[in-house]
Amino acid sequence: MNPMQRKKDRIDALVGGHPGDGDIPDAGQVSESGGLSLIGSAWLRLRRNPVFLVGAAITILFVLVALFAPLLAPHNGTTKYLIDQVTPDTPIPPSQKGFPLGGDDQGRDFLSRLILGSRQTLIVGVLATLAGLFGGLVLGTIAGSMGGWVDSVVMRIVDVMLSLPSLVLALAVATLFGKPSQWTLIIAISIVQVPIFARLLRGSMLTQRASDHVLAARALGVKPIAITFRHMLPNSLGPVLVQATLVLATAIIEAAALSFLGLGNPDDSSAEWGQMLGKAQQLFDISPHVAFWPAGCIVVVAFGFTLMGESLREALDPRNRR
């Protein structure tokens, strides 16, 4: 099975557990056996799931550090405190009092830049995911609600985008802009995420089109646009929003990869983990810790989002209800 088919099958599998699919109860429907709604029973499962708790703890810690980075950073991230210790023989100032992780090749406090870099990483990841989610919602709504040749045209475009490896597509889009910047990263990564959300939402909306409440609304003469935005779209958003949690982890990794390749923000004074990792490759033989810390932060944060997203997806899947 080729990578494109595996990617499409995974997205379609997410749709299969969506509320409203055949005998699967809707999100707000009360269970006859347990007396709990789907969301209520999902929360009970999440509270007892150690995988979710670990993922949520990592994610919350990362978000708090990013939000309060200027307060948590012990020093200014742009001031060259240790520049007098930077020599051809020792390009990286070592760990010392007041600077537990030492400095970078410009004499700036490494720990402060690591903390401040979390904010840029979070901004790129969140904005890219939101932009991709918006684009996917537009295409998925058009395809799922209109059907026919419109659905075919939109889905062929989506399939072409899905057939390309995401990082290669992001790299191609970022290269087209010519001038690297933070906004280049956001646009490139969001375009990569659009087909994922579009295909997922379109599948959910097709399921909703055959549901009883939509058929009843049609029989009562409700206008198609009202059926789309009042009945189909709200009931189709669940798996799309859960997928956004998983996509956020991918967006952070892709942003770091593009920054590593020099396609991110060229302003060296603004710390970002991928940018720090890219600069570290020249100093890896002398001071491997300058690559270890930003790489470790990227891996841990992506791991946290992935654990939380997978747990949410499994908990909200009605087929897992007991």
Side-chain angles (χ1 to χ4, degrees):
M1 185 180 296
N2 58 55
M4 172 188 170
Q5 189 60 44
R6 284 200 297 270
K7 192 183 295 185
K8 291 168 62 177
D9 289 346
R10 176 174 171 76
I11 296 172
D12 293 340
L14 294 173
V15 179
H18 183 253
D21 184 12
D23 58 349
I24 298 173
D26 290 332
Q29 188 174 332
V30 176
S31 167
E32 295 179 358
S33 57
L36 289 173
S37 67
L38 174 64
I39 296 176
S41 62
W43 172 240
L44 286 180
R45 286 197 295 274
L46 288 174
R47 289 171 54 187
R48 297 192 296 264
N49 187 348
V51 174
F52 171 77
L53 296 178
V54 171
I58 294 174
T59 302
I60 292 173
L61 178 62
F62 166 63
V63 173
L64 290 177
V65 169
L67 290 177
F68 299 103
L71 299 176
L72 296 175
H75 301 287
N76 188 306
T78 59
T79 303
K80 300 178 180 180
Y81 299 98
L82 306 174
I83 189 62
D84 57 333
Q85 299 182 26
V86 177
T87 65
D89 295 331
T90 57
I92 300 297
S95 172
Q96 54 195 278
K97 185 179 181 180
F99 302 92
L101 296 184
D104 65 1
D105 60 340
Q106 300 294 319
R108 298 168 296 199
D109 179 36
F110 195 81
L111 176 59
S112 298
R113 291 183 61 79
L114 199 64
I115 294 174
L116 293 168
S118 64
R119 170 169 287 196
Q120 295 299 320
T121 302
L122 180 64
I123 289 174
V124 172
V126 170
L127 290 182
T129 302
L130 289 177
L133 177 62
F134 177 77
L137 289 179
V138 173
L139 290 181
T141 302
I142 293 173
S145 61
M146 300 184 70
W149 68 270
V150 176
D151 179 30
S152 299
V153 170
V154 173
M155 282 302 103
R156 295 298 77 77
I157 296 174
V158 167
D159 287 345
V160 170
M161 296 176 71
L162 285 175
S163 66
L164 301 172
S166 58
L167 187 57
V168 173
L169 180 58
L171 185 61
V173 174
T175 306
L176 288 177
F177 287 93
K179 185 178 180 180
S181 70
Q182 189 177 47
W183 290 108
T184 300
L185 281 184
I186 294 172
I187 295 172
I189 297 170
S190 64
I191 290 177
V192 170
Q193 314 297 2
V194 166
I196 299 174
F197 291 120
R199 187 173 182 85
L200 186 56
L201 181 64
R202 177 256 189 184
S204 296
M205 293 194 70
L206 289 182
T207 302
Q208 288 294 318
R209 288 181 67 176
S211 63
D212 292 340
H213 67 279
V214 171
L215 295 176
R218 286 202 184 101
L220 292 173
V222 179
K223 294 181 179 179
I225 191 169
I227 292 176
T228 297
F229 289 101
R230 292 181 184 175
H231 301 281
M232 294 172 62
L233 185 58
N235 289 318
S236 303
L237 290 177
V240 180
L241 296 179
V242 172
Q243 182 66 14
T245 309
L246 295 171
V247 168
L248 188 55
T250 307
I252 289 173
I253 294 175
E254 290 173 346
L258 294 180
S259 293
F260 178 83
L261 296 172
L263 296 173
N265 188 356
D267 184 6
D268 184 55
S269 63
S270 179
E272 196 269 328
W273 290 346
Q275 178 198 66
M276 296 172 68
L277 189 59
K279 291 188 63 177
Q281 61 179 327
Q282 302 172 354
L283 304 166
F284 187 77
D285 293 338
I286 304 172
S287 302
H289 74 279
V290 296
F292 171 79
W293 286 111
C297 290
I298 293 170
V299 171
V300 170
V301 169
F303 184 63
F305 276 110
T306 302
L307 291 182
M308 193 174 69
E310 288 288 351
S311 301
L312 280 172
R313 183 181 61 80
E314 293 177 2
L316 290 172
D317 189 340
R319 292 170 297 187
N320 293 333
R321 301 187 72 180
R322 296 184 176 89

